[in-house]
Amino acid sequence: MPDTATQINQLSIPDYFPLHIGGEPRDATGGARFVVENPATGEAICEMAEGDASDVDAAVKAAHAASKPWGANSGAERADILNRIAALLTERLDDFIAVEVAQTGRPIREMRAQLARLPEWYTYFAAVARTHESNVHPFGGPYLNYSRRMPLGVVGLVTPWNHPLLILTKKLAPALAAGNAVVVKPSEVAPITPMMLAALMEEAGLPPGVCNMVTGMGPIAGAALSTHEGIAKLDLTGGTETGRRVAALAGERLTQFAGELGGKAPVIVFDDVLDSSAAAATLFASFIAAGQTCVQGARLLVQNTVREKVVDMLVERTQSLVVGDPTQFETQIGPMVSKRQLDVTMKYVEIGKNEGATLAAGGERLTGGIYDTGYYHAPTVFTDVTNDMRIAQEEIFGPVVCVLGFDTEEEAIALANGTEFGLAASIWTKDITRAHRVSQSIEAGIVWINDHHRIDPSSPWGGFKASGIGKENGIVCYEGYTKLQSVVVNLSDDRFDWFEDSSDKRYS
C-alpha cells in the first residue's frame, strides 16, 4: 500500500465531476459548474456540475424507478452488496484519504483514523439487514398479529462539509440496508469523495439509480431536494437554523425528517482528574478537526479548585500544537475549510474580546509561509468567560474553547445545560457514582464519561433540544428508514355476521 502522504502530494483528481443520476454521468441541465478549493493552498482542485431543481427532479425519478426492485430484494441480498462495498472501500481507503485531506484540510493523521473505520458501517448494517426480525404481538382472542418493516421508498440525504464521507456513510448505510433508494446532495465545499463513493458502490453491485448524487448549491439544489414531493424522508446534517426551516417545510408535506444540527458541547472536569489528563482531554475535544465538528468540546467547565492549574497547562499545550500542512504526519491542526469559516471564527474572537473575556492563547489568523495561501487560524483559548456571553452560547465551529469555572456539581450541571443545544457532553472524574449521576442530569443525546468524540455504528447518535431530531447509528436508525405495517389475522373458522347475529357474543 503506498504511503498516503506521498499519494496526497501526487494526487490525480479529474478536472470535472458530472452529476450521477440513474447510474450515469450527466452534466447539469443548465450547464453550470462550480470550483472546489483546497483550503490549505487556496488552489482549485476541480470543477463539479452545479445541479438545480430540474436535476434534483431527474434524480428523484431515477430513484423511484430503482426503489421497488431494490426494496423487494431480501435483506440477505442487500447485505451481500453492502459487504462488497465495505471490502472495496477498505481496498481503496488511501485514495479516499488523499482526497478528503485535499478538500477539507483535515490533517492526514485524522483522516487515516476516521476513514479506516468507515467499512464498519456497511458491515454492521449488512448484518442488521440480514438478521432484523419481524415481531409477533400478544393480540387477544383467536388472532395472530405480526408487524413487518418496509422500505420508505426514496430518501433525500443532505450532508455537510466537515466529515464528508463519515456523515454520508452514517445515513447511507442504514438507508440502503433498509431497502431505500437515495438522492444525495453533498456540501458544495467538499463533494468529491461522496461522488467517488457513488461510483464505488455501483462497482460493488449496487443497482443503478439506487444512489444518485446531485452536486450544487444549498439554496438551490438543497432546497429543491428538501421540498420535493417524491421524497419520503429527508435526513439532514447542518446548522440549527437550516434544520428548523427544512423541518417546517417537511412538516407541511408530512414528509419524515431527521436532523443532526448544531452543538456547543461541554467538557466537565472535576477536581479529582489529573491536570495533565484534563488538558489533554480538552485539547482533543476542542481542537480535533480544527474545532469544525458539531460535538466539539467548545466549553471547558472546570472545577475552581483546579481551574488555574488546568488552564495553565491547557494554554501551554495549545501554544505548542503544530498547525500546518495537512499532508504531513507531524501536523496536528490543519486549516479552516474555507475563507468563510475562517472569517466566522475571526468574528467570534473579536466578539469574545469585546465581551470582556480574556484571550489566553491564539486568537489570530496565522500568516507567513504556507499560512498566507491557506485559511489557518491559531487554536484559541478564552478564559474569564461567563455563560451569558455569545462565545459561550453560539456555535462558532472553529478552534476556539471557552473556559468557565464551577464550584459544585449542581453548578456544573446548570452550566452544561445552559445553552439551547443538547448534542453531546463529556464528564471527567474518577468518581464513577458521580459520573453516572451527572450524566443522567445532562440534557444531551450523547454523553461520554472520561472520553470524548467516540463513535460506533451500533451506538445511537443524535441530540436533544436545538441539536436535532432523530438518531443516526444502531437499530433505531435502521428502523427510522422503514415504515411499520401491522398485519392482523383471524384464525377462527366461526362465521361472523355482526348485523345478523343477535346473541350476546357479538358484544364481547
Side-chain angles (χ1 to χ4, degrees), residues 342-352 354 390-391 394:
L342 174 65
D343 289 343
V344 168
T345 299
M346 294 171 66
K347 179 190 77 170
Y348 273 102
V349 169
E350 290 305 309
I351 289 171
N354 292 334
R390 289 181 63 187
I391 58 170
E394 299 176 12

Side-chain angles (χ1 to χ4, degrees), residues 357-421:
T358 299
L359 188 60
E364 72 281 349
R365 177 178 184 172
L366 297 176
T367 57
I370 66 167
Y371 297 146
D372 287 341
T373 57
Y375 307 123
Y376 294 90
H377 193 282
T380 299
V381 178
F382 273 112
T383 59
D384 302 315
V385 177
T386 59
N387 210 38
D388 59 344
M389 292 181 179
R390 289 181 63 187
I391 58 170
Q393 290 291 318
E394 299 176 12
E395 188 174 40
I396 299 173
F397 228 65
V400 179
V401 60
C402 302
V403 181
L404 298 91
F406 68 87
D407 291 314
T408 66
E409 182 179 309
E410 291 72 23
E411 186 181 358
I413 292 168
L415 285 171
N417 292 336
T419 76
E420 68 170 331
F421 300 109

Side-chain angles (χ1 to χ4, degrees), residues 12 39 46 97 120 328 419 491:
S12 177
C46 65
I97 292 167
E120 295 177 38
Q328 301 304 307
T419 76
L491 301 177

Side-chain angles (χ1 to χ4, degrees), residues 436-458:
H436 284 284
R437 184 171 62 246
V438 172
S439 70
Q440 293 178 18
S441 298
I442 297 296
E443 297 169 355
I446 310 159
V447 179
W448 296 283
I449 295 174
N450 296 328
D451 215 324
H452 198 98
H453 207 162
R454 300 299 177 181
I455 190 171
D456 188 88
S458 68

